[in-house]
Amino acid sequence: MKVGNAVRNTLFSNVDANKRPGDLVARNIQRGRDHGIPGYDKLRTACGMTDLIGTEKPREINEANWRKLMQTYNNDPSQIDGFTAGLAEDAAGEDGMVSFLFCSFQI
């Protein structure tokens, strides 16, 4: 999933007194860390998805995105942030609009 420049660079431009652009994705990743939301591997288990096995690619993420995640997180899937992985996953179902992980959360 791609995040548009407007969301990454200008969504919060009128909020910050220093006129720094606000990156929604970066904020969501940091919020997850601040609130102790577990990483992708633990979220998968909590949502009833299959466990990650080592650095083996899960079926929900395509090969190219998995390679990027492994490079970014130093081949340690336990360090992958849930929000990042949720964006990296393919859309759930044939006409899905959000990932499997994001579909699994119950409100």
Side-chain angles (χ1 to χ4, degrees), residues 17-105:
N18 296 318
K19 302 294 183 206
R20 292 178 298 214
D23 184 332
L24 181 61
V25 174
R27 285 179 188 224
N28 284 344
I29 293 168
Q30 191 59 51
R31 280 185 196 129
R33 292 174 181 177
D34 289 346
H35 292 281
I37 294 176
Y40 182 51
D41 57 340
K42 289 188 172 68
L43 287 174
R44 287 179 62 88
T45 302
C47 291
M49 299 168 73
T50 59
D51 291 339
L52 292 177
I53 300 169
T55 59
E56 185 178 315
K57 181 191 84 59
R59 68 176 180 85
E60 297 86 2
I61 299 179
N62 68 48
E63 189 65 44
N65 284 346
W66 187 248
R67 275 194 308 269
K68 290 175 188 175
L69 287 171
M70 290 296 89
Q71 182 179 9
T72 302
Y73 289 93
N74 297 316
N75 290 316
D76 187 355
S78 70
Q79 297 300 310
I80 300 173
D81 293 285
F83 189 76
T84 304
L87 291 177
E89 286 184 350
D90 296 329
E94 207 169 286
D95 58 349
M97 301 208 36
V98 297
S99 70
F100 292 89
L101 183 69
F102 292 161
C103 283
S104 297
F105 285 104

